[in-house]
Amino acid sequence: MRIDRIALNGFRNYEWETADFGPGTNVITGPNAQGKTNLLEAVYMLSAGRGFRTRFDRELIGFGFSAAEILAECESHGRQQSIRILMQPGAPKKIQVNGVKKSAGELSAVLNTVLFCPDDLNLIKEGAAVRRRLLDNAISQIRPRYAEILAEFNRLYEHKSRILKDWREKPSLLDTLDEFSDAMARASAHLIRYRASYAERLNAAAAPIHREFSGEGEALSLRYSTVSTVKDPGASVREIYYDVCEHQEKHRQAELDAGQCLTGAHKDDLEIGVNGRPARSFASQGQTRTAALSIKLAEREILMAETGEAPILLLDDVLSELDTRRQEFVLNRIGGGQTLITCCEDEGISRRTGGKVLFVEKGKIKA
Ligand code: ATP
Ligand code: MG
């Protein structure tokens, strides 16, 4: 799987620009605020249908432009494919693969990426939302159905949150509360089932990477945690649904009192342990980075096992944050696929990897 060429029209700070990528490592370099991460974000969009730094497509449209367009030529599943994404304010984005209209969720069947950015270095120490995002993004790429259920869940969550917040002023809102709670419990059950199974795979793949990475000395463990009444998150969706309902009934009054959703998959976490202790409380800076990296490389392995092809690895500004030994580990481990690395200075990465260098300045790309 690889991207050969991209054209950006009115996307972020790119007015009208094209770039050709090499099949191996591509080092995207240049001073701050020139468009390196924007270029990576455009490639990410081709696989995920959305940016990784914003919830709103309109922010991706260049200042003063009425639309943003990304065009790309890629090689995946043994053939050349073309992807086009067009974003216009106030209209749903248009996505085409080889000239045929597609949904954002369908892009993952064409192109897969694994992104590793500075935020991911906080994967271990930050709150659960970062780890849920990791699960959500990773599972959406291999299970498009998951992305649909997640979108539905988020919609229900927002609606139910509004009811719980406003019911005192408008008691009639309570008429639909139980209906929303039930729909949310159903969607939660599906999400929990998917997340439990992915967390198990991630644990199995990340532990050996981490063991090797840390010099055989350390044991990494990932454990999925969800609604407390769910006895077995690996059970059938129906059983999980009954367990979530049990929690829901017990907390109905508490939800009304607190004015917030207290039951559902929106509080899930992936508990990360190093040598049997919670990494969030005990891991050192170095252990935290090693664990975050191992998890990302494990995500890449799972995608490879699922699709039979190496996903495109997007490393945004992380190499400079890692010491030389960790850098070497990443660079050795990523062989066999295409990688796009951004950094302020090339730091010899292109020499060490034999990769192509793209220099970015003021939204212009020079190879
Ligand atoms: P750094 O090395 O600091 O990470 P970078 O090269 O990765 O820098 P980018 O994050 O790609 O920089 O951003 C480059 C510029 O794009 C920024 O100055 C930003 O303000 C600008 N920018 C972001 N969104 C838009 C937009 N919608 N339209 C025009 N410019 C934008
Ligand atoms: Mg950047």
Side-chain angles (χ1 to χ4, degrees):
M1 197 168 278
R2 61 163 205 268
I3 172 162
D4 294 322
R5 163 166 264 234
I6 195 165
L8 303 173
N9 304 324
F11 179 84
R12 294 257 196 211
N13 71 330
Y14 290 96
E15 292 184 3
W16 179 261
E17 192 58 5
T18 59
D20 292 303
F21 299 106
T25 304
N26 294 268
V27 181
I28 300 161
T29 178
N32 290 128
Q34 304 301 310
K36 303 184 294 297
T37 303
N38 291 346
L39 180 57
L40 229 57
E41 197 173 28
V43 177
Y44 179 87
M45 270 211 85
L46 296 167
S47 68
R50 56 183 168 77
F52 62 79
R53 296 189 292 180
T54 173
R55 280 182 62 195
F56 306 106
D57 288 342
R58 62 172 183 273
E59 290 175 9
L60 301 168
I61 301 174
F63 304 148
F65 280 75
S66 57
E69 185 187 37
I70 309 174
L71 295 157
E73 294 296 327
C74 348
E75 199 272 347
S76 83
H77 305 296
R79 64 188 186 115
Q80 284 301 124
Q81 315 224 43
S82 67
I83 306 176
R84 176 172 185 254
I85 302 179
L86 181 70
M87 288 159 275
Q88 286 164 308
K93 68 188 148 240
K94 294 194 180 94
I95 301 175
Q96 288 179 327
V97 176
N98 304 321
V100 179
K101 191 166 174 274
K102 297 278 174 186
S103 68
E106 286 173 307
L107 284 173
S108 59
V110 184
L111 206 69
N112 303 114
T113 57
V114 170
L115 167 75
F116 191 28
C117 62
D119 273 356
D120 292 323
L121 293 169
N122 304 326
L123 206 55
I124 319 295
K125 295 278 176 178
E126 293 279 306
V130 191
R131 291 179 290 280
R132 271 197 307 276
R133 203 178 317 131
L134 171 106
L135 289 175
D136 289 343
N137 291 344
I139 306 170
S140 296
Q141 287 216 48
I142 55 174
R143 302 280 179 266
R145 176 89 183 101
Y146 179 86
E148 286 169 24
I149 298 168
L150 182 66
E152 169 72 359
F153 176 83
N154 288 336
R155 194 185 62 79
L156 293 165
Y157 172 77
E158 276 180 28
H159 208 115
K160 185 176 161 184
S161 298
R162 260 201 312 271
I163 296 177
L164 290 170
K165 194 166 129 296
D166 297 338
W167 70 272
R168 276 177 232 269
E169 287 92 74
K170 216 173 159 204
S172 65
L173 285 173
L174 291 182
D175 296 350
T176 54
L177 178 64
D178 290 337
E179 208 177 292
F180 273 101
S181 291
D182 183 65
M184 236 179 104
R186 268 173 215 282
S188 289
H190 283 281
L191 295 183
I192 290 169
R193 184 66 193 80
Y194 276 112
R195 287 175 179 174
S197 124
Y198 188 82
E200 208 173 298
R201 283 180 85 178
L202 197 64
N203 182 44
I209 298 176
H210 189 269
R211 206 175 309 122
E212 187 190 335
F213 193 4
S214 60
E216 305 288 328
E218 289 181 355
L220 176 74
S221 62
L222 308 175
R223 205 185 70 85
Y224 171 60
S225 78
T226 184
V227 180
S228 60
T229 49
V230 174
K231 293 179 270 307
D232 174 13
S236 70
V237 172
R238 181 204 284 255
E239 279 172 75
I240 300 169
Y241 164 68
Y242 289 138
D243 289 347
V244 176
C245 287
E246 186 192 325
H247 191 273
Q248 172 58 53
E249 276 149 34
K250 277 191 196 150
H251 290 77
R252 191 177 188 277
Q253 190 56 46
E255 287 193 322
L256 289 168
D257 294 342
Q260 295 178 17
C261 293
L262 302 175
T263 293
H266 59 288
K267 293 188 154 218
D268 288 2
D269 199 354
L270 185 68
E271 291 167 5
I272 303 175
V274 174
N275 293 338
R277 293 208 168 79
R280 202 169 168 202
S281 319
F282 297 107
S284 74
Q285 192 71 359
Q287 282 174 322
T288 304
R289 283 171 183 226
T290 308
L293 253 175
S294 305
I295 292 169
K296 279 286 148 176
L297 293 173
E299 186 188 332
R300 181 174 179 264
E301 281 190 3
I302 293 174
L303 261 171
M304 252 152 92
E306 281 284 325
T307 64
E309 290 185 58
I312 302 171
L313 190 62
L314 307 174
L315 302 176
D316 188 26
D317 261 339
V318 279
L319 274 199
S320 53
E321 301 259 346
L322 300 172
D323 60 30
T324 323
R325 196 179 60 87
R326 287 194 181 86
Q327 286 187 3
E328 287 304 325
F329 185 83
V330 179
L331 294 174
N332 289 333
R333 191 93 203 190
I334 58 178
Q338 190 183 40
T339 305
L340 273 52
I341 303 176
T342 70
C343 53
C344 278
E345 284 157 52
D346 176 355
E347 290 147 5
I349 297 163
S350 52
R351 192 170 18 85
R352 268 147 68 201
T353 58
K356 176 172 179 167
V357 180
L358 294 106
F359 185 78
V360 177
E361 197 171 28
K362 293 188 184 140
K364 294 276 163 213
I365 305 165
K366 279 178 247 158

